[in-house]
């Protein structure tokens, strides 16, 4: 029974991530808040930094940049950022994204290349198994939900396999 709370938190995380992928930001944020109200002592340790990153993504999507920056900076100061490889890179990437958005430079090629370069630092990291920030960036560039981009990529991959 010790693993039941961890199983519950993992399921809430997966539901939150799916809602974020589907573009249902308010529901994803509510789900993350439920996750955080849950006793943090029962979390799987690796879910703590990931849930903070997911919460910051929801805040960015809601254009609540000050709150997102606060969450990211607190995570950056926390020792739990070291629990998962790639969290430091993700923090840097998301802070750079916010700065780019706030300065209205997202359409500039140099800004896109910088963000893409930061995202490539996450490839093959443990974090990329839980949170696909490269896909999230692509969805921002295309102005589409992550799920739509993911489905499109899957169709293209299947088309070229035959």
């Amino acid at each position: 029974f010790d693993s039941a709370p961890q199983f519950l938190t993992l399921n809430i995380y997966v539901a939150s991530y799916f809602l974020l992928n589907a573009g249902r930001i308010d529901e994803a944020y509510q789900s993350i808040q439920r996750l955080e109200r849950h006793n943090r002592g029962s979390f799987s340790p690796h879910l703590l930094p990931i849930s903070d990153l997911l919460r910051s993504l929801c805040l960015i999507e809601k254009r609540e940049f000050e709150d997102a920056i606060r969450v990211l900076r607190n995570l950056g100061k926390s020792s739990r950022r070291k629990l998962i490889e790639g969290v430091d890179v993700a923090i840097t990437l998301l802070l750079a994204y916010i700065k780019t958005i706030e300065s209205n430079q997202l359409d500039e090629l140099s800004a896109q290349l910088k963000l893409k370069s930061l995202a490539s630092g996450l490839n093959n990291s443990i974090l990329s198994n839980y949170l696909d920030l490269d896909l999230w960036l692509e969805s921002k560039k295309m102005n589409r939900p992550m799920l739509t981009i993911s489905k499109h990529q899957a169709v293209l991959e299947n088309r070229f396999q035959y």
Side-chain angles (χ1 to χ4, degrees):
F1 289 100
D2 288 339
S3 65
Q6 290 182 359
F7 182 72
L8 176 64
T9 57
L10 181 61
N11 283 333
I12 294 172
Y13 166 76
V14 169
S16 302
Y17 189 57
F18 173 78
L19 291 166
L20 178 68
N21 275 298
R24 295 163 59 180
I25 308 308
D26 289 332
E27 293 170 87
Y29 189 70
Q30 288 172 356
S31 185
I32 283 293
Q33 286 179 315
R34 277 188 218 110
L35 182 63
E36 291 177 347
R37 280 194 300 261
H38 207 36
N39 179 4
R40 282 194 170 241
S42 65
F43 267 53
S44 299
H46 64 279
L47 272 182
L48 288 168
I50 295 171
S51 70
D52 287 340
L53 289 172
L54 190 56
R55 182 162 54 115
S56 67
L57 284 176
C58 288
L59 289 166
I60 291 168
E61 292 284 354
K62 293 165 60 94
R63 302 193 67 77
E64 296 176 13
F65 298 132
E66 287 181 26
D67 289 338
I69 290 169
R70 181 183 40 78
V71 169
L72 291 167
R73 287 190 176 149
N74 286 341
L75 178 57
K77 294 175 188 173
S78 166
S79 62
R80 64 180 186 262
R81 78 179 190 286
K82 297 177 183 172
L83 293 173
I84 298 235
E85 173 197 359
V87 169
D88 286 329
V89 175
I91 291 169
T92 303
L93 170 68
L94 293 177
L95 288 172
Y97 178 81
I98 292 170
K99 184 178 178 182
T100 302
I101 288 294
E102 287 180 326
S103 62
N104 294 319
Q105 295 177 344
L106 188 59
D107 292 333
E108 291 182 22
L109 183 60
S110 62
Q112 289 181 16
L113 291 174
K114 178 183 177 188
L115 293 171
K116 196 75 166 164
S117 170
L118 286 168
S120 69
L122 294 170
N123 293 344
N124 301 319
S125 71
I126 294 172
L127 180 65
S128 65
N129 293 331
Y130 294 94
L131 196 61
D132 190 343
L133 289 175
D134 199 30
L135 179 64
W136 181 77
L137 278 175
E138 187 68 23
S139 76
K140 299 294 102 202
K141 188 172 91 178
M142 304 294 284
N143 199 25
R144 301 260 187 261
M146 292 169 64
L147 197 56
T148 304
I149 303 296
S150 182
K151 285 180 182 178
H152 180 70
Q153 289 175 349
V155 167
L156 288 177
E157 286 176 17
N158 285 336
R159 188 177 295 161
F160 292 114
Q161 286 182 353
Y162 296 108

